[in-house]
């Protein structure tokens, strides 16, 4: 079993948004999520809700029963495809699917998507040592994004406009193709087999707001 927690390493309280994937076998209603620390989710609709992430807090999140957990975490806003006045450099997402051994050949997968930009410094920390990227050739235990246009060459991070990691194929039209940021190797997804893995903890951390230049 893989466990998940969300941490705020800063002195700034924020609102975290959880957006679930409509994936068969995974929880598809935020009301069914089991939250630690006495935190409850405000349900916007079945696949999305928000919860307070206090300064210095660490909150566990789990699906009930044998369900997998597939979704993303964003900070102070639901996911956005395009920049706004409040988020002029877009919004990034901490994406994950865990405990999905019910899928044929299933892979637990994590990444930080900066395809549409970045508003927060986010990281993943992995306690197990069997997570890899680049077709198993690179072992990974931490990933972290940079500012919106500084994510090329970072393990586990999709660069700006690069929806295919090594190319810019179909990003949102407001982002446009950004092939100059593409990676030379497929390092954006960090994965391991969903069956027969080491389990352990996956921690998503909020490290601070990216200040608009």
């Amino acid at each position: 079993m893989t466990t998940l927690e969300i941490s705020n390493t800063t002195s700034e309280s924020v609102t975290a948004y959880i957006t679930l994937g409509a994936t068969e076998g995974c929880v598809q209603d935020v009301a069914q999520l089991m939250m630690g620390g006495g935190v409850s989710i405000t349900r916007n609709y079945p696949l999305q809700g928000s919860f307070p992430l206090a300064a210095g807090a660490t909150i566990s999140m789990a699906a009930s029963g044998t369900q997998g957990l597939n979704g993303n975490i964003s900070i102070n806003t639901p996911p956005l495809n395009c920049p706004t006045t409040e988020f002029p450099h877009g919004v990034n997402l901490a994406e994950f699917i865990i405990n999905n051994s019910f899928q044929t050949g299933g892979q637990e997968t994590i990444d930080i998507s900066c395809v549409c930009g970045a508003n927060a410094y986010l990281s993943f920390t992995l306690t197990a040592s069997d997570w890899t990227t680049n077709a198993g050739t690179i072992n990974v235990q931490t990933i972290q994004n940079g500012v919106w246009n500084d994510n090329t060459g970072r393990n586990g991070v999709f660069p700006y406009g690069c929806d295919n990691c090594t190319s810019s194929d179909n990003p949102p039209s407001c982002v446009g193709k950004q092939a100059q940021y593409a990676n030379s190797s497929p390092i954006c997804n960090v994965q391991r087999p969903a069956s027969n893995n080491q389990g352990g903890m996956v921690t998503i951390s909020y490290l601070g707001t990216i200040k608009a230049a």
Side-chain angles (χ1 to χ4, degrees):
M1 176 70 71
T2 303
T3 54
L4 175 71
E5 63 183 16
I6 299 98
S7 178
N8 181 351
T9 69
T10 77
S11 58
E12 166 195 12
S13 295
V14 295
T15 300
Y17 284 77
I18 172 69
T19 303
L20 298 173
T23 304
E24 185 176 354
C26 292
V27 59
Q28 296 185 42
D29 191 333
V30 295
Q32 296 176 6
L33 290 170
M34 298 183 295
M35 305 292 291
V39 169
S40 59
I41 287 183
T42 299
R43 184 177 183 264
N44 297 340
Y45 54 90
L47 290 177
Q48 189 178 90
S50 63
F51 58 94
L53 189 59
T58 298
I59 298 168
S60 62
M61 176 185 289
S64 59
T66 59
Q67 296 181 101
L69 184 52
N70 176 206
N72 66 65
I73 297 290
S74 54
I75 301 297
N76 285 334
T77 176
L80 298 173
N81 282 340
C82 299
T84 65
T85 301
E86 186 175 1
F87 302 104
H89 294 305
V91 171
N92 54 324
L93 311 173
E95 303 180 313
F96 55 88
I97 183 167
I98 57 174
N99 300 319
N100 54 319
S101 59
F102 51 83
Q103 295 178 328
T104 302
Q107 295 278 305
E108 290 193 319
T109 304
I110 65 164
D111 69 78
I112 299 171
S113 175
C114 297
V115 174
C116 297
N119 67 310
Y121 293 108
L122 301 175
S123 70
F124 277 87
T125 304
L126 311 164
T127 61
S129 61
D130 57 347
W131 293 89
T132 66
T133 190
N134 196 20
T137 63
I138 302 172
N139 284 89
V140 178
Q141 288 192 270
T142 60
I143 65 176
Q144 181 179 329
N145 67 279
V147 297
W148 69 276
N149 62 348
D150 181 24
N151 291 295
T152 306
R154 294 176 182 264
N155 290 330
V157 183
F158 280 83
Y160 184 65
C162 296
D163 51 313
N164 196 28
C165 192
T166 57
S167 60
S168 181
D169 296 344
N170 293 294
S173 58
C174 57
V175 171
K177 292 190 176 183
Q178 304 289 338
Q180 70 273 23
Y181 296 120
N183 286 301
S184 58
S185 301
I187 61 171
C188 297
N189 284 322
V190 175
Q191 298 180 305
R192 64 179 180 177
S195 300
N196 301 316
N197 61 49
Q198 294 178 13
M201 178 71 72
V202 172
T203 302
I204 299 170
S205 295
Y206 166 68
L207 308 175
T209 299
I210 296 175
K211 305 299 184 184

